[in-house]
Amino acid sequence: MEETSREAVATAVQRVAGMLQRSDQLDKVEQYRRREARKKASVEARLKAAIQSQLDGVRTGLTQLHSALLDVKDIQGSLADVSKDWRQSINTIENLKDVKDAVVQHSQLASAVENLKNIFSVPEIVTETRELIEQAELLQAHRKLMELECSRDDLMYEQYRMDSKNTSDMNLISNYFEDVQGLSDELAKQLWMVLQRSMVTVRRDPTMLVSVVRIIEREEKIDRRMVDRKKQTGFIPPGRPKRWKDKMFEVLEGTVSTRIEGTQSVTREADKMWLVRLLEITRKYVLDDLIVVKNLMVQCFPPHYNTFNRFFSLYHNAVSIRVTELASEDLEANEIVSLLTWVLNTYKSVEMMGHPELRSECDINQLEPLLPQHVVDDLLSKYVKTFTSNITGWLRKALETDKKDWQKETEPEADQDGYYQTTLPAIVFQMCVFVCRYREEAMAYKEEHLRDRQLPQCYVQYMIAIINNCQTFKESINSLKRKYSQSSEPTDSDAAIERTLNEVAKEGCQFLLDEVFLDLEHHLNELLTRKWLTGSHAVDTICVTVEDYFNDFNKIKKPFNQEMTSEALRRVVVEYIKAVMQKRITFKNADERREGAERMIKEADQFKFLFRKLAAGEDTDRLCGAIAAIAEVFKLTDPTLLFLEVTTLVSKYPDIREEHIQALLAVRGDASREMRQMIIGTLSENKVSYSGVTQPIFKDITCSTVHTLNLLFLLLS
């Protein structure tokens, strides 16, 4: 305390010293004293108020504690009185046992009275319920069944409460209601029949399926209520819990399995293509059924059933079991190829589980493989062995045939140069030239289609398949080489086969693009014409048509789909620029040039948006920019600046030629002869070299003969 006082005095001295540092401050000593006195008085007042508040709080607390002590004493006295009364009432409670038994008996009798009407009419209700079941009035039948079960269960529960060990009375009730369990079984049988035919029922009469689900949901609620009562009382009615919901899912699973297993209608002995047919039927059944589940069946089940995903898993598991069984059979080489192609490609494709109608409901990437990897490896190994054996046998047979020819008494045939030879080399060589033959057949397929573009109906789809086959051939050859070849180095034969397959695939892509541009020909001819300038929708139609075709072209494998998209963009741009160079229109005035240029820039943006959407690659801006760059030449309002604009165009696209510039100036319509001569002459003297780093645009674009003659006439005039 003394130390605190000393610190306070020292602080005060220091503060006073700070106030009186100058002589002129001595006059204010009295003023300082009064101010400090007021502060001291204020602090003392606050301290007194705080101490008084604390004292009041302590006083209030002591008062409350005293009151609580009195309350505790009163409660102790009351508890003592209650304990005394309780001890005195024990004997009274024991004397009320007869009353308790009477109450239980009364409760039992009350339950009997309540169910008296149902008890006397049990035979009649049983008959009505059975008739309703036979008439497929399932909801009404179930309602009556619940009435019967409720009457039986209430009576048995009351009997259990009164005397749980009295089995004779319990059996009496059970025997009286013995038909109820039979009705329950009959109704369940009808429910399972409806569920087994659910794919048909949901199309014809979805209300029937909804009724079945409602009945099962009712039974689930009753099951839960009975199980909860058992936990409290130990009693549960006979036949409970029924677990019909679990049984429903078992039936649906069995239905799916039966549907998949029942797809085999022919055998190898009856049809060599039995496996292909079986797999195609399976594909169709699974796809059709899942679409029905998505569009119809989901609405018949409660949302928490997660119906579509449940059926999706059921079908996946059933198909997996089926293809595993097929893989275990003694398959031939071509059958192994069919099975693996279906399992690895078709199953997850848009033709089956990846179908657009199913894609929004499931993620096929989360599916487990249909076949374990070791089964796939075993099938591949078996295929290679079988294929090798077949080739060896075929070659051996060819050699035996050749050896028989050696025993002939006639001379062997001679080739065109007169040298003797047999047919063996030609037979063996036929296998090596398969790829070339495939290429010829693809070309013939295209030529056949061009004779009548309505036939074949699936020309585009099968041409896509031909392109994909080439990629599959390449992948299969590389896979087999990695797995069975001792050398990893590519041979000349490998390179030749891959080169030929690439050429076949690229030609197929060109065939498909030719098909697209045949449909676009009429609309391309409208570009840069008077009709185009006045509001033609040619480019809108071109974009819609290209996008429609590329919905199918998305099914082309990499890398050909990317190359095809880039080539489609290049051809669209080239055709557009060709329309400019053919002088289909000559702008009459500045307004027409501005309107035409703005339309060209807008349409270039349309092409850019479309092909970015189709992922045409990094060259999209450059190709579409060529149209916009030409538009800038037309849009320029001051002809004296034409040379600068044309120079900019040439610097961006150095493969542009003089006749292209002449055509642009002619279409513009306002360049004088001197201006044209100056621009062409200057560009000729300062010709930009073309390095060929990027793909040329103008290289293959020619100007029309009429257009060139007109230019010559203008230059000479």
Side-chain angles (χ1 to χ4, degrees), residues 462-695:
Y462 277 100
M463 187 58 72
I464 291 173
I466 291 171
I467 297 169
N468 291 339
N469 286 347
C470 294
Q471 185 65 14
T472 304
F473 283 143
K474 288 167 53 181
E475 293 169 355
S476 300
I477 291 170
N478 292 333
S479 176
L480 292 174
K481 184 176 178 62
R482 285 194 302 270
K483 193 166 186 178
Y484 297 101
S485 177
Q486 297 178 351
S487 173
S488 60
E489 295 297 324
T491 63
D492 293 341
S493 176
D494 295 339
I497 292 174
E498 183 166 352
R499 183 169 57 253
T500 304
L501 287 171
N502 282 335
E503 290 172 356
V504 174
K506 290 181 178 179
E507 287 174 356
C509 291
Q510 290 299 324
F511 296 162
L512 290 176
L513 287 179
D514 291 343
E515 185 74 7
V516 176
F517 280 86
L518 281 173
D519 285 347
L520 298 181
E521 184 175 4
H522 172 71
H523 307 291
L524 291 170
N525 289 336
E526 283 188 11
L527 298 176
L528 274 292
T529 61
R530 282 288 161 190
K531 181 179 180 181
W532 168 82
L533 187 63
T534 56
S536 167
H537 297 287
V539 170
D540 296 334
T541 307
I542 289 170
C543 290
V544 170
T545 304
V546 170
E547 185 172 8
D548 183 56
Y549 267 103
F550 269 81
N551 286 333
D552 287 333
F553 296 166
N554 283 335
K555 299 172 185 176
I556 298 176
K557 291 183 178 180
K558 294 181 179 179
F560 300 115
N561 58 354
Q562 178 67 41
E563 295 174 4
M564 187 172 181
T565 310
S566 300
E567 178 61 18
L569 169 60
R570 193 193 71 81
R571 285 182 66 167
V572 166
V573 172
V574 166
E575 291 295 330
Y576 196 101
I577 297 175
K578 277 184 181 179
V580 177
M581 299 305 171
Q582 290 172 0
K583 195 192 173 188
R584 299 174 181 175
I585 188 174
T586 300
F587 297 123
K588 296 178 180 179
N589 50 50
D591 289 340
E592 283 194 356
R593 285 191 292 275
R594 177 184 52 77
E595 184 179 351
E598 289 176 353
R599 177 174 284 273
M600 291 177 68
I601 293 171
K602 175 187 174 184
E603 291 173 347
D605 289 338
Q606 283 183 259
F607 291 142
K608 189 184 299 183
F609 176 80
L610 170 64
F611 283 97
R612 277 181 179 171
K613 182 178 178 182
L614 299 178
E618 299 177 355
D619 214 24
T620 306
D621 290 344
R622 178 178 173 274
L623 288 167
C624 295
I627 299 174
I630 292 173
E632 292 298 332
V633 174
F634 296 153
K635 191 175 182 181
L636 189 67
T637 57
D638 187 354
T640 60
L641 299 178
L642 267 176
F643 174 73
L644 294 176
E645 197 66 49
V646 171
T647 303
T648 302
L649 174 64
V650 173
S651 65
K652 289 182 180 178
Y653 303 94
D655 63 314
I656 196 169
R657 301 192 299 276
E658 291 180 12
E659 57 265 31
H660 297 141
I661 303 300
Q662 293 169 350
L664 294 181
L665 296 177
V667 173
R668 182 177 165 86
D670 67 338
S672 65
R673 179 168 61 87
E674 291 78 10
M675 177 64 71
R676 292 195 296 270
Q677 289 175 339
M678 184 273 291
I679 292 173
I680 298 298
T682 306
L683 290 175
S684 298
E685 293 173 2
N686 302 281
K687 192 169 184 179
V688 180
S689 61
Y690 175 62
S691 61
V693 176
T694 56
Q695 190 176 16

Side-chain angles (χ1 to χ4, degrees), residues 320 324 369-378:
S320 179
T324 302
L370 277 181
L371 287 177
Q373 188 58 43
H374 70 88
V375 176
V376 175
D377 293 339
D378 290 345

Side-chain angles (χ1 to χ4, degrees), residues 48 60 95 98 118 143 166 170 244 309 372 457 505 528 553 586 623:
K48 289 179 180 179
T60 301
N95 294 332
D98 295 339
N118 290 338
R143 190 176 296 108
N166 188 347
M170 197 71 81
W244 278 6
N309 287 334
Q457 292 183 356
L528 274 292
F553 296 166
T586 300
L623 288 167

Side-chain angles (χ1 to χ4, degrees), residues 363-415:
D363 184 3
I364 58 174
N365 296 320
Q366 300 299 321
L367 288 175
E368 294 292 329
L370 277 181
L371 287 177
Q373 188 58 43
H374 70 88
V375 176
V376 175
D377 293 339
D378 290 345
L379 286 174
L380 286 173
S381 178
K382 182 180 178 181
Y383 170 75
V384 171
K385 290 179 182 177
T386 305
F387 183 75
T388 304
S389 175
N390 291 343
I391 293 296
T392 303
W394 180 82
L395 291 173
R396 186 181 295 112
K397 185 176 180 180
L399 181 57
E400 291 297 329
T401 302
D402 204 57
K403 285 170 62 178
K404 290 180 181 179
D405 290 344
W406 299 350
Q407 308 301 323
K408 288 183 178 179
E409 297 180 357
T410 57
E411 296 179 353
E413 296 180 358
D415 63 10

